[in-house]
Amino acid sequence: MAATDREMNPESEKLQFRLDVPFPSPRDAAIALGSLSPDREPRKGGIDKQLTVTDRTLTVRWSAEEARILRVSVDSFLDNLSLVLETMQMFAPPASQ
Amino acid sequence: MTIVIGFEGSANKIGIGIIRDGEVLSNPRRTYITPPGQGFLPSDTARHHRAVILTVLKEALEQAGLKPADIDCVAFTKGPGMGSPLVTVALVARTVAQLWEKPLLGVNHCIGHIEMGRLITQADNPTVLYVSGGNTQVIAYSERRYRIFGETIDIAVGNCLDRFARVIKISNDPSPGYNIEQMAKKGSQYVELPYTVKGMDVSFSGITSYIEEAAHKMISSGQCSAEDLCFSLQETVFSMLVEITERAMAHCGSGEVLIVGGVGCNLRLQEMMGVMCKERNAKLFATDERFCIDNGAMIAQAGWEMFRSGQVTELEDSWITQRYRTDEVEVTWRD
């Protein structure tokens, strides 16, 4: 199905969105990645999302065919990211605070 | 000594509980209650959970008198349930598991109910009736699986009750089922409603659409009151549940029944099941609203069993899932 998508709608024709989130340390970025990467996108069609960590930055790249599908995914990711950040701030072990 | 914290939020209840070797140390919970006539939608429910979860987590630790370092394992509901609420809870569980460097355990929600029921009642090997807003199953343990002997072929019994509550616009506080139960006590007339048992299974969509359509007509024409309908609905659906439970008991030669899940709080259901059990010389077990309604401690308890028998969930396998059959889990903690 991915192959057909590319023939019909090559990557260059899709909407691309990138988000970079800096963290205080590489470990913090890795924790965020660990929390945010396991769940699959609810609507399998029309959206692709990749999460990576480089040093202490979490990078998220989206590629979508339609703006509204992109908006929903980015919106919900930002809500989830906020929750993870708040959890990290409130419950980090005393040593690292 | 093993201390497990459990996170639950698959429907409109968000609960976090801590268990130490069979002792419930804390079990705080919040319920997202919608106005009369309205059900709860996934995105609103997730928003509710997101707003309170960290407060509830703090409460769980404080009420147990524990620090994160004291926890041995972090358990959370992997599924089944509503997507976005499940994700909200899983995010916090995964984050604290990594922050505190503790193993993570994804738990099946239905098994959480079963294991909590077993712990609280000490039932030996019961036929389990699991009834809630989202699930209706008759379960028995056999050879390392909780086998589903009978279930609803469409909607859960609690879903039928909740939808009827919306039709007659009664309060959802503390829960629609509780308010139907109170109204049913004042019913004086039995109204015949469709009764649908199919072998080992039940179906509630027929009675639901019937009563959704007929309720207003019957009440406004003076044929019967809303209380009469509450009474008649309970008598009908609970009889169906007693029938399929009895059928499973006969198959398994079982002498015990354990009722779990939110609908299990209903005293009329317990009473009717008790009558059947007495006729069969069987024992009935049930828990109170602290444990039949979704809560964190039940997830902690199932997690405790799983963890002690050597199971752990890797982060990459910790994705949540809306569909998760009770018999998919290998019950490694029982013979």
Side-chain angles (χ1 to χ4, degrees), chain A residues 27 30-31 34-36 38-40 79-80 83-84 86-88 90-91 93, chain B residues 50 54 57 87-88 91-92 94-96 98-101 315 318-320:
Chain A
R27 179 169 181 260
I31 289 176
S35 298
L36 292 159
D39 298 309
R40 289 135 189 192
D79 278 337
N80 292 342
L83 179 59
V84 170
E86 220 188 307
T87 309
M88 289 172 75
M90 216 183 266
F91 292 96
Chain B
R50 212 177 286 135
L54 298 179
L57 175 52
V87 169
T88 300
L91 287 172
V92 175
R94 289 180 201 128
T95 305
V96 298
Q98 293 176 86
L99 285 172
W100 304 340
E101 292 177 347
L315 265 176
S318 72
W319 37 268
I320 61 96

PDB file of all heavy atoms in Angstrom, chain A residues 27 30-31 34-36 38-40 79-80 83-84 86-88 90-91 93, chain B residues 50 54 57 87-88 91-92 94-96 98-101 315 318-320:
ATOM      1  N   ARG A  27      19.035  11.959  28.342  1.00  0.00           N
ATOM      2  CA  ARG A  27      18.188  10.970  29.013  1.00  0.00           C
ATOM      3  C   ARG A  27      16.732  11.412  28.994  1.00  0.00           C
ATOM      4  O   ARG A  27      15.825  10.616  28.748  1.00  0.00           O
ATOM      5  CB  ARG A  27      18.660  10.749  30.458  1.00  0.00           C
ATOM      6  CG  ARG A  27      17.770   9.744  31.187  1.00  0.00           C
ATOM      7  CD  ARG A  27      18.311   9.268  32.517  1.00  0.00           C
ATOM      8  NE  ARG A  27      17.369   8.300  33.095  1.00  0.00           N
ATOM      9  CZ  ARG A  27      16.475   8.589  34.053  1.00  0.00           C
ATOM     10  NH1 ARG A  27      16.412   9.804  34.556  1.00  0.00           N
ATOM     11  NH2 ARG A  27      15.651   7.656  34.500  1.00  0.00           N
ATOM     12  N   ALA A  30      15.293  10.821  25.649  1.00  0.00           N
ATOM     13  CA  ALA A  30      15.066   9.389  25.442  1.00  0.00           C
ATOM     14  C   ALA A  30      13.804   8.918  26.163  1.00  0.00           C
ATOM     15  O   ALA A  30      13.052   8.090  25.645  1.00  0.00           O
ATOM     16  CB  ALA A  30      16.275   8.592  25.923  1.00  0.00           C
ATOM     17  N   ILE A  31      13.579   9.460  27.365  1.00  0.00           N
ATOM     18  CA  ILE A  31      12.375   9.095  28.115  1.00  0.00           C
ATOM     19  C   ILE A  31      11.129   9.547  27.357  1.00  0.00           C
ATOM     20  O   ILE A  31      10.155   8.798  27.198  1.00  0.00           O
ATOM     21  CB  ILE A  31      12.392   9.699  29.538  1.00  0.00           C
ATOM     22  CG1 ILE A  31      13.453   8.984  30.387  1.00  0.00           C
ATOM     23  CG2 ILE A  31      11.018   9.587  30.203  1.00  0.00           C
ATOM     24  CD1 ILE A  31      13.637   9.561  31.781  1.00  0.00           C
ATOM     25  N   GLY A  34      10.537   7.261  24.552  1.00  0.00           N
ATOM     26  CA  GLY A  34      10.015   5.985  25.052  1.00  0.00           C
ATOM     27  C   GLY A  34       8.530   6.044  25.355  1.00  0.00           C
ATOM     28  O   GLY A  34       7.794   5.083  25.141  1.00  0.00           O
ATOM     29  N   SER A  35       8.080   7.195  25.857  1.00  0.00           N
ATOM     30  CA  SER A  35       6.659   7.322  26.201  1.00  0.00           C
ATOM     31  C   SER A  35       5.783   7.585  24.992  1.00  0.00           C
ATOM     32  O   SER A  35       4.655   7.090  24.915  1.00  0.00           O
ATOM     33  CB  SER A  35       6.471   8.465  27.202  1.00  0.00           C
ATOM     34  OG  SER A  35       7.166   8.194  28.396  1.00  0.00           O
ATOM     35  N   LEU A  36       6.303   8.385  24.045  1.00  0.00           N
ATOM     36  CA  LEU A  36       5.470   8.850  22.930  1.00  0.00           C
ATOM     37  C   LEU A  36       5.496   7.966  21.696  1.00  0.00           C
ATOM     38  O   LEU A  36       4.610   8.082  20.850  1.00  0.00           O
ATOM     39  CB  LEU A  36       5.885  10.279  22.551  1.00  0.00           C
ATOM     40  CG  LEU A  36       5.561  11.321  23.617  1.00  0.00           C
ATOM     41  CD1 LEU A  36       6.426  12.572  23.433  1.00  0.00           C
ATOM     42  CD2 LEU A  36       4.082  11.688  23.549  1.00  0.00           C
ATOM     43  N   PRO A  38       5.424   4.317  21.392  1.00  0.00           N
ATOM     44  CA  PRO A  38       4.785   3.008  21.217  1.00  0.00           C
ATOM     45  C   PRO A  38       3.410   2.988  20.537  1.00  0.00           C
ATOM     46  O   PRO A  38       3.122   2.047  19.804  1.00  0.00           O
ATOM     47  CB  PRO A  38       4.652   2.475  22.652  1.00  0.00           C
ATOM     48  CG  PRO A  38       5.664   3.211  23.437  1.00  0.00           C
ATOM     49  CD  PRO A  38       5.754   4.558  22.810  1.00  0.00           C
ATOM     50  N   ASP A  39       2.552   3.998  20.789  1.00  0.00           N
ATOM     51  CA  ASP A  39       1.189   3.915  20.263  1.00  0.00           C
ATOM     52  C   ASP A  39       1.123   4.224  18.777  1.00  0.00           C
ATOM     53  O   ASP A  39       1.776   5.128  18.301  1.00  0.00           O
ATOM     54  CB  ASP A  39       0.266   4.882  21.024  1.00  0.00           C
ATOM     55  CG  ASP A  39       0.171   4.533  22.495  1.00  0.00           C
ATOM     56  OD1 ASP A  39      -0.102   3.357  22.796  1.00  0.00           O
ATOM     57  OD2 ASP A  39       0.399   5.435  23.325  1.00  0.00           O
ATOM     58  N   ARG A  40       0.277   3.455  18.081  1.00  0.00           N
ATOM     59  CA  ARG A  40       0.132   3.681  16.637  1.00  0.00           C
ATOM     60  C   ARG A  40      -0.864   4.804  16.399  1.00  0.00           C
ATOM     61  O   ARG A  40      -1.719   5.065  17.225  1.00  0.00           O
ATOM     62  CB  ARG A  40      -0.385   2.394  15.981  1.00  0.00           C
ATOM     63  CG  ARG A  40       0.665   1.316  15.966  1.00  0.00           C
ATOM     64  CD  ARG A  40       0.096  -0.010  16.377  1.00  0.00           C
ATOM     65  NE  ARG A  40       1.137  -1.015  16.569  1.00  0.00           N
ATOM     66  CZ  ARG A  40       0.901  -2.301  16.701  1.00  0.00           C
ATOM     67  NH1 ARG A  40      -0.334  -2.751  16.630  1.00  0.00           N
ATOM     68  NH2 ARG A  40       1.878  -3.155  16.889  1.00  0.00           N
ATOM     69  N   ASP A  79      -0.705  17.711  22.750  1.00  0.00           N
ATOM     70  CA  ASP A  79      -1.368  17.430  24.033  1.00  0.00           C
ATOM     71  C   ASP A  79      -0.609  16.343  24.786  1.00  0.00           C
ATOM     72  O   ASP A  79      -0.362  16.442  25.993  1.00  0.00           O
ATOM     73  CB  ASP A  79      -2.804  16.933  23.805  1.00  0.00           C
ATOM     74  CG  ASP A  79      -3.773  18.075  23.569  1.00  0.00           C
ATOM     75  OD1 ASP A  79      -3.471  19.214  23.988  1.00  0.00           O
ATOM     76  OD2 ASP A  79      -4.838  17.835  22.965  1.00  0.00           O
ATOM     77  N   ASN A  80      -0.261  15.277  24.069  1.00  0.00           N
ATOM     78  CA  ASN A  80       0.445  14.153  24.690  1.00  0.00           C
ATOM     79  C   ASN A  80       1.818  14.580  25.179  1.00  0.00           C
ATOM     80  O   ASN A  80       2.254  14.204  26.268  1.00  0.00           O
ATOM     81  CB  ASN A  80       0.565  12.988  23.704  1.00  0.00           C
ATOM     82  CG  ASN A  80      -0.785  12.363  23.394  1.00  0.00           C
ATOM     83  OD1 ASN A  80      -1.751  12.562  24.125  1.00  0.00           O
ATOM     84  ND2 ASN A  80      -0.851  11.620  22.313  1.00  0.00           N
ATOM     85  N   LEU A  83       1.610  16.469  28.401  1.00  0.00           N
ATOM     86  CA  LEU A  83       1.372  15.586  29.541  1.00  0.00           C
ATOM     87  C   LEU A  83       2.665  14.904  29.975  1.00  0.00           C
ATOM     88  O   LEU A  83       2.984  14.818  31.166  1.00  0.00           O
ATOM     89  CB  LEU A  83       0.305  14.542  29.194  1.00  0.00           C
ATOM     90  CG  LEU A  83      -0.030  13.525  30.295  1.00  0.00           C
ATOM     91  CD1 LEU A  83      -0.536  14.224  31.560  1.00  0.00           C
ATOM     92  CD2 LEU A  83      -1.064  12.525  29.789  1.00  0.00           C
ATOM     93  N   VAL A  84       3.451  14.444  28.992  1.00  0.00           N
ATOM     94  CA  VAL A  84       4.722  13.790  29.305  1.00  0.00           C
ATOM     95  C   VAL A  84       5.671  14.774  29.994  1.00  0.00           C
ATOM     96  O   VAL A  84       6.303  14.443  31.006  1.00  0.00           O
ATOM     97  CB  VAL A  84       5.362  13.192  28.034  1.00  0.00           C
ATOM     98  CG1 VAL A  84       6.790  12.730  28.297  1.00  0.00           C
ATOM     99  CG2 VAL A  84       4.524  12.018  27.520  1.00  0.00           C
ATOM    100  N   GLU A  86       4.900  17.472  31.704  1.00  0.00           N
ATOM    101  CA  GLU A  86       4.396  17.781  33.047  1.00  0.00           C
ATOM    102  C   GLU A  86       4.694  16.645  34.017  1.00  0.00           C
ATOM    103  O   GLU A  86       5.076  16.869  35.165  1.00  0.00           O
ATOM    104  CB  GLU A  86       2.880  17.994  32.964  1.00  0.00           C
ATOM    105  CG  GLU A  86       2.382  19.133  33.812  1.00  0.00           C
ATOM    106  CD  GLU A  86       0.868  19.194  33.859  1.00  0.00           C
ATOM    107  OE1 GLU A  86       0.245  19.209  32.778  1.00  0.00           O
ATOM    108  OE2 GLU A  86       0.324  19.208  34.996  1.00  0.00           O
ATOM    109  N   THR A  87       4.547  15.417  33.532  1.00  0.00           N
ATOM    110  CA  THR A  87       4.842  14.250  34.365  1.00  0.00           C
ATOM    111  C   THR A  87       6.314  14.237  34.737  1.00  0.00           C
ATOM    112  O   THR A  87       6.677  13.984  35.893  1.00  0.00           O
ATOM    113  CB  THR A  87       4.485  12.942  33.630  1.00  0.00           C
ATOM    114  OG1 THR A  87       3.155  13.026  33.142  1.00  0.00           O
ATOM    115  CG2 THR A  87       4.615  11.734  34.549  1.00  0.00           C
ATOM    116  N   MET A  88       7.171  14.509  33.751  1.00  0.00           N
ATOM    117  CA  MET A  88       8.608  14.513  34.005  1.00  0.00           C
ATOM    118  C   MET A  88       8.980  15.584  35.028  1.00  0.00           C
ATOM    119  O   MET A  88       9.797  15.342  35.914  1.00  0.00           O
ATOM    120  CB  MET A  88       9.385  14.717  32.698  1.00  0.00           C
ATOM    121  CG  MET A  88       9.315  13.502  31.790  1.00  0.00           C
ATOM    122  SD  MET A  88      10.009  13.780  30.142  1.00  0.00           S
ATOM    123  CE  MET A  88      11.734  13.753  30.506  1.00  0.00           C
ATOM    124  N   MET A  90       7.025  16.845  37.371  1.00  0.00           N
ATOM    125  CA  MET A  90       6.466  16.591  38.696  1.00  0.00           C
ATOM    126  C   MET A  90       7.050  15.376  39.395  1.00  0.00           C
ATOM    127  O   MET A  90       7.078  15.302  40.616  1.00  0.00           O
ATOM    128  CB  MET A  90       4.949  16.401  38.553  1.00  0.00           C
ATOM    129  CG  MET A  90       4.168  16.974  39.698  1.00  0.00           C
ATOM    130  SD  MET A  90       2.407  16.673  39.553  1.00  0.00           S
ATOM    131  CE  MET A  90       1.873  18.159  38.759  1.00  0.00           C
ATOM    132  N   PHE A  91       7.481  14.370  38.613  1.00  0.00           N
ATOM    133  CA  PHE A  91       7.877  13.114  39.236  1.00  0.00           C
ATOM    134  C   PHE A  91       9.306  12.686  39.009  1.00  0.00           C
ATOM    135  O   PHE A  91       9.667  11.551  39.289  1.00  0.00           O
ATOM    136  CB  PHE A  91       6.913  11.997  38.809  1.00  0.00           C
ATOM    137  CG  PHE A  91       5.541  12.182  39.366  1.00  0.00           C
ATOM    138  CD1 PHE A  91       4.543  12.791  38.616  1.00  0.00           C
ATOM    139  CD2 PHE A  91       5.239  11.799  40.665  1.00  0.00           C
ATOM    140  CE1 PHE A  91       3.280  12.999  39.140  1.00  0.00           C
ATOM    141  CE2 PHE A  91       3.974  11.995  41.205  1.00  0.00           C
ATOM    142  CZ  PHE A  91       2.999  12.597  40.438  1.00  0.00           C
ATOM    143  N   PRO A  93      13.076  11.954  39.719  1.00  0.00           N
ATOM    144  CA  PRO A  93      13.731  11.599  40.982  1.00  0.00           C
ATOM    145  C   PRO A  93      14.444  12.815  41.562  1.00  0.00           C
ATOM    146  O   PRO A  93      14.978  13.610  40.802  1.00  0.00           O
ATOM    147  CB  PRO A  93      14.749  10.523  40.591  1.00  0.00           C
ATOM    148  CG  PRO A  93      14.354  10.063  39.253  1.00  0.00           C
ATOM    149  CD  PRO A  93      13.560  11.134  38.605  1.00  0.00           C
TER     150      PRO A  93
ATOM    151  N   ARG B  50      -6.566  13.648  31.503  1.00  0.00           N
ATOM    152  CA  ARG B  50      -5.322  14.407  31.425  1.00  0.00           C
ATOM    153  C   ARG B  50      -5.265  15.480  32.520  1.00  0.00           C
ATOM    154  O   ARG B  50      -4.241  15.757  33.105  1.00  0.00           O
ATOM    155  CB  ARG B  50      -5.227  15.078  30.049  1.00  0.00           C
ATOM    156  CG  ARG B  50      -3.839  15.227  29.510  1.00  0.00           C
ATOM    157  CD  ARG B  50      -3.851  15.832  28.116  1.00  0.00           C
ATOM    158  NE  ARG B  50      -4.301  14.908  27.097  1.00  0.00           N
ATOM    159  CZ  ARG B  50      -5.172  15.212  26.121  1.00  0.00           C
ATOM    160  NH1 ARG B  50      -5.700  16.410  26.043  1.00  0.00           N
ATOM    161  NH2 ARG B  50      -5.505  14.304  25.232  1.00  0.00           N
ATOM    162  N   LEU B  54      -2.280  13.478  37.181  1.00  0.00           N
ATOM    163  CA  LEU B  54      -1.080  13.684  37.998  1.00  0.00           C
ATOM    164  C   LEU B  54      -1.453  13.951  39.456  1.00  0.00           C
ATOM    165  O   LEU B  54      -0.726  13.539  40.376  1.00  0.00           O
ATOM    166  CB  LEU B  54      -0.215  14.800  37.406  1.00  0.00           C
ATOM    167  CG  LEU B  54       0.309  14.490  35.997  1.00  0.00           C
ATOM    168  CD1 LEU B  54       1.156  15.651  35.457  1.00  0.00           C
ATOM    169  CD2 LEU B  54       1.133  13.209  35.967  1.00  0.00           C
ATOM    170  N   LEU B  57      -2.220  10.610  40.905  1.00  0.00           N
ATOM    171  CA  LEU B  57      -0.970   9.874  41.126  1.00  0.00           C
ATOM    172  C   LEU B  57      -0.319  10.309  42.439  1.00  0.00           C
ATOM    173  O   LEU B  57       0.107   9.494  43.256  1.00  0.00           O
ATOM    174  CB  LEU B  57      -0.025  10.084  39.944  1.00  0.00           C
ATOM    175  CG  LEU B  57       1.382   9.491  40.046  1.00  0.00           C
ATOM    176  CD1 LEU B  57       1.380   8.016  40.413  1.00  0.00           C
ATOM    177  CD2 LEU B  57       2.139   9.699  38.736  1.00  0.00           C
ATOM    178  N   VAL B  87      -4.532   5.984  25.914  1.00  0.00           N
ATOM    179  CA  VAL B  87      -3.239   6.594  25.593  1.00  0.00           C
ATOM    180  C   VAL B  87      -2.809   7.557  26.696  1.00  0.00           C
ATOM    181  O   VAL B  87      -1.661   7.513  27.156  1.00  0.00           O
ATOM    182  CB  VAL B  87      -3.283   7.356  24.247  1.00  0.00           C
ATOM    183  CG1 VAL B  87      -2.025   8.196  24.056  1.00  0.00           C
ATOM    184  CG2 VAL B  87      -3.440   6.387  23.086  1.00  0.00           C
ATOM    185  N   THR B  88      -3.727   8.395  27.151  1.00  0.00           N
ATOM    186  CA  THR B  88      -3.415   9.380  28.202  1.00  0.00           C
ATOM    187  C   THR B  88      -2.798   8.691  29.413  1.00  0.00           C
ATOM    188  O   THR B  88      -1.781   9.125  29.952  1.00  0.00           O
ATOM    189  CB  THR B  88      -4.694  10.109  28.632  1.00  0.00           C
ATOM    190  OG1 THR B  88      -5.238  10.775  27.506  1.00  0.00           O
ATOM    191  CG2 THR B  88      -4.404  11.124  29.724  1.00  0.00           C
ATOM    192  N   LEU B  91       0.701   7.007  28.708  1.00  0.00           N
ATOM    193  CA  LEU B  91       1.801   7.980  28.626  1.00  0.00           C
ATOM    194  C   LEU B  91       2.399   8.251  30.000  1.00  0.00           C
ATOM    195  O   LEU B  91       3.621   8.276  30.165  1.00  0.00           O
ATOM    196  CB  LEU B  91       1.304   9.309  28.041  1.00  0.00           C
ATOM    197  CG  LEU B  91       1.000   9.322  26.552  1.00  0.00           C
ATOM    198  CD1 LEU B  91       0.328  10.644  26.184  1.00  0.00           C
ATOM    199  CD2 LEU B  91       2.260   9.139  25.729  1.00  0.00           C
ATOM    200  N   VAL B  92       1.540   8.442  30.990  1.00  0.00           N
ATOM    201  CA  VAL B  92       2.036   8.734  32.339  1.00  0.00           C
ATOM    202  C   VAL B  92       2.710   7.495  32.922  1.00  0.00           C
ATOM    203  O   VAL B  92       3.791   7.587  33.521  1.00  0.00           O
ATOM    204  CB  VAL B  92       0.897   9.235  33.246  1.00  0.00           C
ATOM    205  CG1 VAL B  92       1.388   9.421  34.676  1.00  0.00           C
ATOM    206  CG2 VAL B  92       0.335  10.545  32.703  1.00  0.00           C
ATOM    207  N   ARG B  94       4.195   5.023  31.325  1.00  0.00           N
ATOM    208  CA  ARG B  94       5.504   4.811  30.673  1.00  0.00           C
ATOM    209  C   ARG B  94       6.534   5.821  31.174  1.00  0.00           C
ATOM    210  O   ARG B  94       7.707   5.496  31.377  1.00  0.00           O
ATOM    211  CB  ARG B  94       5.383   4.970  29.148  1.00  0.00           C
ATOM    212  CG  ARG B  94       4.645   3.867  28.442  1.00  0.00           C
ATOM    213  CD  ARG B  94       4.595   4.160  26.947  1.00  0.00           C
ATOM    214  NE  ARG B  94       3.516   3.413  26.326  1.00  0.00           N
ATOM    215  CZ  ARG B  94       2.579   3.944  25.564  1.00  0.00           C
ATOM    216  NH1 ARG B  94       2.578   5.230  25.284  1.00  0.00           N
ATOM    217  NH2 ARG B  94       1.633   3.182  25.054  1.00  0.00           N
ATOM    218  N   THR B  95       6.096   7.057  31.345  1.00  0.00           N
ATOM    219  CA  THR B  95       7.029   8.111  31.758  1.00  0.00           C
ATOM    220  C   THR B  95       7.556   7.843  33.167  1.00  0.00           C
ATOM    221  O   THR B  95       8.767   7.891  33.394  1.00  0.00           O
ATOM    222  CB  THR B  95       6.354   9.495  31.680  1.00  0.00           C
ATOM    223  OG1 THR B  95       5.852   9.679  30.361  1.00  0.00           O
ATOM    224  CG2 THR B  95       7.341  10.603  32.004  1.00  0.00           C
ATOM    225  N   VAL B  96       6.662   7.534  34.108  1.00  0.00           N
ATOM    226  CA  VAL B  96       7.156   7.294  35.474  1.00  0.00           C
ATOM    227  C   VAL B  96       7.970   6.007  35.567  1.00  0.00           C
ATOM    228  O   VAL B  96       8.942   5.931  36.316  1.00  0.00           O
ATOM    229  CB  VAL B  96       6.045   7.331  36.560  1.00  0.00           C
ATOM    230  CG1 VAL B  96       5.381   8.700  36.612  1.00  0.00           C
ATOM    231  CG2 VAL B  96       5.025   6.233  36.376  1.00  0.00           C
ATOM    232  N   GLN B  98       9.994   4.911  33.362  1.00  0.00           N
ATOM    233  CA  GLN B  98      11.345   5.258  32.918  1.00  0.00           C
ATOM    234  C   GLN B  98      12.045   6.172  33.920  1.00  0.00           C
ATOM    235  O   GLN B  98      13.225   5.995  34.228  1.00  0.00           O
ATOM    236  CB  GLN B  98      11.299   5.944  31.549  1.00  0.00           C
ATOM    237  CG  GLN B  98      10.843   5.021  30.425  1.00  0.00           C
ATOM    238  CD  GLN B  98      10.727   5.792  29.123  1.00  0.00           C
ATOM    239  OE1 GLN B  98      11.696   5.950  28.391  1.00  0.00           O
ATOM    240  NE2 GLN B  98       9.535   6.286  28.848  1.00  0.00           N
ATOM    241  N   LEU B  99      11.308   7.159  34.445  1.00  0.00           N
ATOM    242  CA  LEU B  99      11.903   8.098  35.411  1.00  0.00           C
ATOM    243  C   LEU B  99      12.391   7.358  36.656  1.00  0.00           C
ATOM    244  O   LEU B  99      13.481   7.630  37.167  1.00  0.00           O
ATOM    245  CB  LEU B  99      10.875   9.137  35.863  1.00  0.00           C
ATOM    246  CG  LEU B  99      10.497  10.252  34.898  1.00  0.00           C
ATOM    247  CD1 LEU B  99       9.324  11.049  35.464  1.00  0.00           C
ATOM    248  CD2 LEU B  99      11.680  11.190  34.643  1.00  0.00           C
ATOM    249  N   TRP B 100      11.560   6.437  37.141  1.00  0.00           N
ATOM    250  CA  TRP B 100      11.885   5.741  38.388  1.00  0.00           C
ATOM    251  C   TRP B 100      12.695   4.470  38.138  1.00  0.00           C
ATOM    252  O   TRP B 100      13.075   3.773  39.077  1.00  0.00           O
ATOM    253  CB  TRP B 100      10.599   5.379  39.145  1.00  0.00           C
ATOM    254  CG  TRP B 100       9.696   6.539  39.450  1.00  0.00           C
ATOM    255  CD1 TRP B 100      10.014   7.866  39.492  1.00  0.00           C
ATOM    256  CD2 TRP B 100       8.297   6.459  39.757  1.00  0.00           C
ATOM    257  NE1 TRP B 100       8.907   8.617  39.799  1.00  0.00           N
ATOM    258  CE2 TRP B 100       7.834   7.792  39.980  1.00  0.00           C
ATOM    259  CE3 TRP B 100       7.371   5.406  39.889  1.00  0.00           C
ATOM    260  CZ2 TRP B 100       6.498   8.081  40.301  1.00  0.00           C
ATOM    261  CZ3 TRP B 100       6.060   5.698  40.218  1.00  0.00           C
ATOM    262  CH2 TRP B 100       5.641   7.026  40.428  1.00  0.00           C
ATOM    263  N   GLU B 101      12.929   4.175  36.842  1.00  0.00           N
ATOM    264  CA  GLU B 101      13.671   2.973  36.420  1.00  0.00           C
ATOM    265  C   GLU B 101      13.061   1.693  36.999  1.00  0.00           C
ATOM    266  O   GLU B 101      13.736   0.901  37.674  1.00  0.00           O
ATOM    267  CB  GLU B 101      15.149   3.113  36.813  1.00  0.00           C
ATOM    268  CG  GLU B 101      15.817   4.215  35.988  1.00  0.00           C
ATOM    269  CD  GLU B 101      17.264   4.477  36.365  1.00  0.00           C
ATOM    270  OE1 GLU B 101      17.713   3.997  37.425  1.00  0.00           O
ATOM    271  OE2 GLU B 101      17.932   5.161  35.588  1.00  0.00           O
ATOM    272  N   LEU B 315       8.966  -1.408  26.447  1.00  0.00           N
ATOM    273  CA  LEU B 315       8.373  -0.145  25.992  1.00  0.00           C
ATOM    274  C   LEU B 315       7.782  -0.244  24.586  1.00  0.00           C
ATOM    275  O   LEU B 315       6.666   0.212  24.352  1.00  0.00           O
ATOM    276  CB  LEU B 315       9.421   0.967  25.993  1.00  0.00           C
ATOM    277  CG  LEU B 315       9.483   1.840  27.241  1.00  0.00           C
ATOM    278  CD1 LEU B 315      10.629   2.821  27.124  1.00  0.00           C
ATOM    279  CD2 LEU B 315       8.171   2.589  27.437  1.00  0.00           C
ATOM    280  N   SER B 318       4.423  -1.709  24.501  1.00  0.00           N
ATOM    281  CA  SER B 318       3.460  -1.163  25.455  1.00  0.00           C
ATOM    282  C   SER B 318       2.356  -0.345  24.808  1.00  0.00           C
ATOM    283  O   SER B 318       1.635   0.385  25.501  1.00  0.00           O
ATOM    284  CB  SER B 318       4.185  -0.323  26.512  1.00  0.00           C
ATOM    285  OG  SER B 318       4.641   0.880  25.929  1.00  0.00           O
ATOM    286  N   TRP B 319       2.175  -0.490  23.474  1.00  0.00           N
ATOM    287  CA  TRP B 319       1.111   0.247  22.773  1.00  0.00           C
ATOM    288  C   TRP B 319      -0.234  -0.214  23.294  1.00  0.00           C
ATOM    289  O   TRP B 319      -0.422  -1.361  23.686  1.00  0.00           O
ATOM    290  CB  TRP B 319       1.202   0.028  21.259  1.00  0.00           C
ATOM    291  CG  TRP B 319       1.610  -1.350  20.864  1.00  0.00           C
ATOM    292  CD1 TRP B 319       2.886  -1.769  20.636  1.00  0.00           C
ATOM    293  CD2 TRP B 319       0.776  -2.508  20.706  1.00  0.00           C
ATOM    294  NE1 TRP B 319       2.892  -3.115  20.321  1.00  0.00           N
ATOM    295  CE2 TRP B 319       1.614  -3.588  20.350  1.00  0.00           C
ATOM    296  CE3 TRP B 319      -0.599  -2.725  20.815  1.00  0.00           C
ATOM    297  CZ2 TRP B 319       1.127  -4.859  20.103  1.00  0.00           C
ATOM    298  CZ3 TRP B 319      -1.097  -4.002  20.560  1.00  0.00           C
ATOM    299  CH2 TRP B 319      -0.229  -5.058  20.223  1.00  0.00           C
ATOM    300  N   ILE B 320      -1.166   0.773  23.322  1.00  0.00           N
ATOM    301  CA  ILE B 320      -2.494   0.426  23.810  1.00  0.00           C
ATOM    302  C   ILE B 320      -3.322  -0.126  22.651  1.00  0.00           C
ATOM    303  O   ILE B 320      -3.002   0.087  21.493  1.00  0.00           O
ATOM    304  CB  ILE B 320      -3.225   1.635  24.456  1.00  0.00           C
ATOM    305  CG1 ILE B 320      -3.413   2.756  23.447  1.00  0.00           C
ATOM    306  CG2 ILE B 320      -2.482   2.104  25.693  1.00  0.00           C
ATOM    307  CD1 ILE B 320      -4.764   2.751  22.772  1.00  0.00           C
TER     308      ILE B 320
END
